[in-house]
Amino acid sequence: MDNEKLTLEAGVQLLNDWMERAPEEVVAQQAAIDRYGRFFAPANIDKISVEGFKDFLLLKNNRHWTGIHRHPDIYSDMMRLKECLKVLLDESIPIEDRLDTITYDSGPPLTKDCVERY
């Protein structure tokens, strides 16, 4: 299936197969979603600490993404990170506009101008 297009039906089947093979992982991933859903709730953004965010970046905690803990620049400016998270989580603004607010075509994501532009 390397170069084949994945149909919706095939994707559903792959997901169902995985869920049957790894029910413990399904439960662990859902627990991580629940935990970090509350952690990253808009009302809690100002409470996020560097240590708490670093914990989230670990695969053993987030249960979804590997290697993101290798990028300490993500949390090197916590004020900027929190402001960008507030922008990203503001569902009253279309997602395209939220992404435009925190990025530039010519720059990296989470630009420091995010705080000034929001």
Side-chain angles (χ1 to χ4, degrees):
M1 199 180 293
D2 291 335
N3 291 326
E4 294 178 35
K5 286 189 176 185
L6 184 66
T7 65
L8 177 59
E9 293 80 13
V12 168
Q13 188 60 52
L14 285 171
L15 179 60
N16 285 334
D17 292 348
W18 172 77
M19 291 174 70
E20 285 182 25
R21 280 191 321 273
E24 302 85 17
E25 186 60 23
V26 173
V27 170
Q29 284 190 359
Q30 187 57 53
I33 289 170
D34 293 345
R35 175 182 178 195
Y36 289 109
R38 289 185 302 274
F39 184 82
F40 287 108
N44 294 330
I45 296 299
D46 287 326
K47 299 173 191 169
I48 295 174
S49 67
V50 171
E51 290 307 312
F53 192 80
K54 286 169 67 174
D55 285 345
F56 161 73
L57 296 178
L58 297 171
L59 176 63
K60 71 178 185 176
N61 295 330
N62 70 54
R63 307 300 293 208
H64 289 84
W65 305 285
T66 184
I68 58 176
H69 68 283
R70 297 184 188 128
H71 301 279
D73 51 310
I74 294 171
Y75 55 83
S76 64
D77 184 340
M78 281 302 288
M79 184 181 89
R80 180 176 61 145
L81 174 61
K82 290 176 184 181
E83 291 304 316
C84 288
L85 287 170
K86 288 176 187 177
V87 171
L88 287 172
L89 295 170
D90 186 348
E91 293 182 345
S92 70
I93 300 169
I95 188 65
E96 300 87 5
D97 295 341
R98 289 181 264 165
L99 292 171
D100 286 346
T101 299
I102 66 162
T103 62
Y104 289 121
D105 291 337
S106 61
L110 300 177
T111 60
K112 63 176 132 165
D113 297 317
C114 169
V115 175
E116 297 158 11
R117 292 175 64 192
Y118 182 62

